[in-house]
Amino acid sequence: MKMFKKYILAMAACCFIFVLSACGAEQKAETEVRQQAVQTEQIQVGEMAPDIELTGLDGKILRLSELYGHGPVFINFWASWCPPCVQEMPDIQKAYEGHNGDIQFVAVDMDQKKEDGQAFWQKGKFTVPMYRSNIRDVTRAYQITGIPLSVLIDKGGKIVNMRLGSMSGEDVEKFLQPVSNR
């Protein structure tokens, strides 16, 4: 019986650690989050954005390059199970509405089940264009170590800003500044 209790405790501890690490930014100290974001920025800012394939809620498939060919693109990788992702989404929606199309917004759902992301989107009445992609391919292409991850791409396809972790409305506007017409 003691061995069974130890086994249950060990499994619970593993699950707890997995849940904490899966979402990333919310459970870590602020300095650790910033350090991860800087490491990610050093890897990709200034490079061409990986050209991933995206599938819209309507089933239409497009390539990311089709979007930035029309102007700058803000991409947010998120999931409905991630508290920091859920927390920042209203601020991203507000920025989307405020930029009147001068920046294209893309929310990439990283949920395992597309129904989970769609239900969250509909419940929140978000109008930011939401897409899905092959999670493994996107994670590899953008070296995603946690979410939310936001990426800003200029109209030439270069990554000009990246941030790992949740953003407030003010943070979102500062993040968009390099390509904003405001």
Side-chain angles (χ1 to χ4, degrees):
M1 186 67 161
K2 278 187 177 181
M3 196 64 163
F4 180 73
K5 285 182 181 179
K6 285 182 181 180
Y7 176 76
I8 295 296
L9 274 173
M11 290 303 293
C14 287
C15 288
F16 180 72
I17 290 169
F18 176 76
V19 168
L20 285 180
S21 65
C23 199
E26 193 71 9
Q27 306 301 332
K28 296 179 182 181
E30 185 66 27
T31 54
E32 188 176 334
V33 172
R34 287 185 184 147
Q35 187 177 36
Q36 283 182 337
V38 168
Q39 288 172 350
T40 303
E41 288 175 355
Q42 291 172 345
I43 293 170
Q44 295 186 15
V45 168
E47 295 179 6
M48 292 300 290
D51 191 16
I52 56 176
E53 189 174 90
L54 302 166
T55 305
L57 291 177
D58 60 0
K60 183 180 174 187
I61 297 173
L62 66 101
R63 301 219 44 96
L64 179 60
S65 57
E66 294 174 46
L67 293 174
Y68 65 69
H70 299 285
V73 178
F74 168 84
I75 306 173
N76 180 262
F77 298 96
W78 67 281
S80 64
W81 49 261
C82 168
C85 302
V86 171
Q87 178 185 349
E88 76 176 353
M89 202 52 70
D91 291 319
I92 291 172
Q93 176 67 37
K94 185 176 177 183
Y96 169 71
E97 292 167 359
H99 280 273
N100 298 322
D102 65 321
I103 298 172
Q104 297 178 80
F105 283 66
V106 174
V108 179
D109 175 20
M110 302 291 282
D111 280 296
Q112 292 293 324
K113 297 179 187 172
K114 71 178 182 179
E115 296 82 16
D116 293 343
Q118 289 174 343
F120 170 77
W121 217 245
Q122 291 168 350
K123 183 179 178 185
K125 298 182 180 172
F126 298 112
T127 59
V128 174
M130 185 181 90
Y131 295 88
R132 290 190 52 83
S133 192
N134 180 297
I135 294 172
R136 184 179 29 209
D137 293 345
V138 169
T139 300
R140 211 176 283 137
Y142 281 87
Q143 300 176 7
I144 298 172
T145 59
I147 55 174
L149 174 66
S150 296
V151 181
L152 186 62
I153 303 169
D154 69 14
K155 63 183 177 181
K158 269 194 183 163
I159 297 172
V160 295
N161 209 348
M162 290 190 74
R163 179 169 171 157
L164 177 62
S166 185
M167 292 190 277
S168 67
E170 185 178 323
D171 292 336
V172 172
E173 288 304 323
K174 286 178 185 174
F175 184 84
L176 297 172
Q177 195 59 45
V179 298
S180 180
N181 291 335
R182 290 178 166 192

